[in-house]
Amino acid sequence: MELRQLRYFVAVAEELHFGRAAQRVHISGPALSQQIIALERELGADLFVRDRRSVRLTEAGRTFLPDARHILTLADDAKHRLQRAAARSTPVRLGYVSWLPDDITALVGSAADLRLDEWVLPSHAQADRVAEGTLDIALAWVTADQVSERGLVAHLVRTEPLRAVLPGASSTEPIAAQRVSVLVDADESAWSSWNRYATEFAAAVGARVVHIDDGGITGDAFYAHVRKVGGAVLASPKRHTAALPPSLGQRPVAEPVPLWTWSLLHRRDDDRASVRGAVDALLAIARTRAWPAPPAGRWWAPAGDPHLR
């Protein structure tokens, strides 16, 4: 007596129709019928009364149904316990770009043995590493084409409204998107994701593009560019290691709000319990904290965004 035969029996018992039961368990009708006949022979009892118009359980079938369900429940529980144990014992390598939830390993807890990768690389590089298997999962910015081409799955974890840095004091008063400048760096190997985002944003809202060649998308060099521009400059989601100078401030951007999406990436064909446990835990945390929800009002995301179009 095989577990699959028990699943077939329960499906027919609940559907009382061989055609619907066959669709439910994803086999053909004749194959399902043969499996039920084989089970009846092994048990030495008829489980169903069949005629052209109906299927119904025999007395033996009604007696056997609770036991079959109980056996299947025990088997499923054992499988899930084993998968959870495997998820805890197999390290899952997580790469990231700049944003990372505070105390992420504690948040994931027993769902997975999470190991943070030491190489903090650009989004496209982290996506490539997941695709080639040197990372298991990553938090990065990707386009729908990049996801498809690399055989990945991208789950939305967070939408991050980007702000502007400008001379003067910080304020909660929004600045119109068309009054903001964006920096585009000559080094595509480091800044291709940001350059794509910034260029498309500028074209969509009429913002000014400022071309640079010193990596000043972040840090002290970024603040120097803000002073040189003399106006509001869109800040990238790359976390600044340098403190905001007293002469500069931050303001939200509006009409539209530029949204940067953080995706949780894994390989499409990766069905390991450890990876699934880590992904499920991170997505549950994101939903609980409402990280994926876009802000109220008008917002903007690139045409290639895999989540917000």
Side-chain angles (χ1 to χ4, degrees):
M1 185 168 54
E2 301 177 12
L3 286 176
R4 64 189 177 97
Q5 291 177 321
L6 296 184
R7 295 191 193 280
Y8 298 159
F9 163 68
V10 171
V12 177
E14 292 177 349
E15 298 291 343
L16 292 179
H17 190 282
F18 272 80
R20 290 194 298 269
Q23 290 180 343
R24 173 171 154 181
V25 296
H26 308 294
I27 65 171
S28 68
L32 174 61
S33 181
Q34 289 300 315
Q35 288 296 325
I36 294 298
I37 291 171
L39 178 61
E40 289 175 324
R41 287 174 179 167
E42 184 172 352
L43 294 174
D46 290 336
L47 300 174
F48 298 100
V49 177
R50 312 162 177 84
D51 58 40
R52 292 185 177 180
R53 291 177 294 180
S54 67
V55 176
R56 63 184 185 276
L57 285 163
T58 63
E59 182 62 32
R62 286 191 293 271
T63 300
F64 186 56
L65 182 57
D67 291 332
R69 285 172 170 156
H70 182 60
I71 292 169
L72 291 174
T73 297
L74 290 175
D76 288 341
D77 288 346
K79 177 182 176 181
H80 294 154
R81 283 194 298 272
L82 182 61
Q83 288 176 336
R84 287 194 294 269
R88 289 192 295 270
S89 62
T90 305
V92 176
R93 298 160 298 176
L94 168 65
Y96 67 102
V97 179
S98 61
W99 176 73
L100 195 66
D102 293 337
D103 201 11
I104 188 171
T105 54
L107 290 175
V108 173
S110 62
D113 180 10
L114 206 60
R115 304 290 175 86
L116 296 185
D117 190 78
E118 295 180 355
W119 289 10
V120 180
L121 298 173
S123 285
H124 66 277
Q126 299 296 46
D128 286 342
R129 294 181 67 205
V130 174
E132 70 189 16
T134 55
L135 287 176
D136 299 311
I137 58 177
L139 290 167
W141 181 90
V142 288
T143 65
D145 287 345
Q146 289 172 329
V147 172
S148 176
E149 292 164 359
R150 289 163 174 77
L152 303 177
V153 176
H155 304 277
L156 178 61
V157 176
R158 183 189 178 198
T159 58
E160 180 178 355
L162 301 186
R163 300 171 66 84
V165 175
L166 69 172
S170 295
S171 169
T172 59
E173 182 67 23
I175 185 169
Q178 62 267 28
R179 294 179 53 198
V180 174
S181 296
V182 296
L183 304 182
V184 172
D185 196 90
D187 185 1
E188 281 288 314
S189 65
W191 299 106
S192 64
S193 295
W194 171 254
N195 287 349
R196 178 171 182 167
Y197 181 99
T199 301
E200 192 171 335
F201 174 74
V205 305
R208 175 190 174 195
V209 176
V210 178
H211 292 277
I212 61 174
D213 59 5
D214 60 357
I217 304 298
T218 186
D220 285 328
F222 172 77
Y223 298 135
H225 284 297
V226 173
R227 296 188 189 94
K228 185 176 180 180
V229 169
V233 179
L234 190 66
S236 82
K238 183 75 173 178
R239 297 310 184 259
H240 291 273
T241 55
L244 184 69
S247 60
L248 302 179
Q250 291 186 342
R251 288 175 62 179
V253 180
E255 296 301 321
V257 177
L259 288 186
W260 181 274
T261 56
W262 291 108
S263 294
L264 177 59
L265 306 175
H266 63 86
R267 291 183 297 283
R268 187 180 302 130
D269 60 357
D270 193 343
D271 59 357
R272 290 174 296 165
S274 55
V275 172
R276 187 166 59 251
V279 169
D280 289 346
L282 286 169
L283 293 181
I285 294 164
R287 289 191 297 270
T288 299
R289 302 191 177 188
W291 286 338
R298 183 174 165 228
W299 48 263
W300 176 89
D305 189 282
H307 308 294
L308 298 182
R309 309 313 298 178

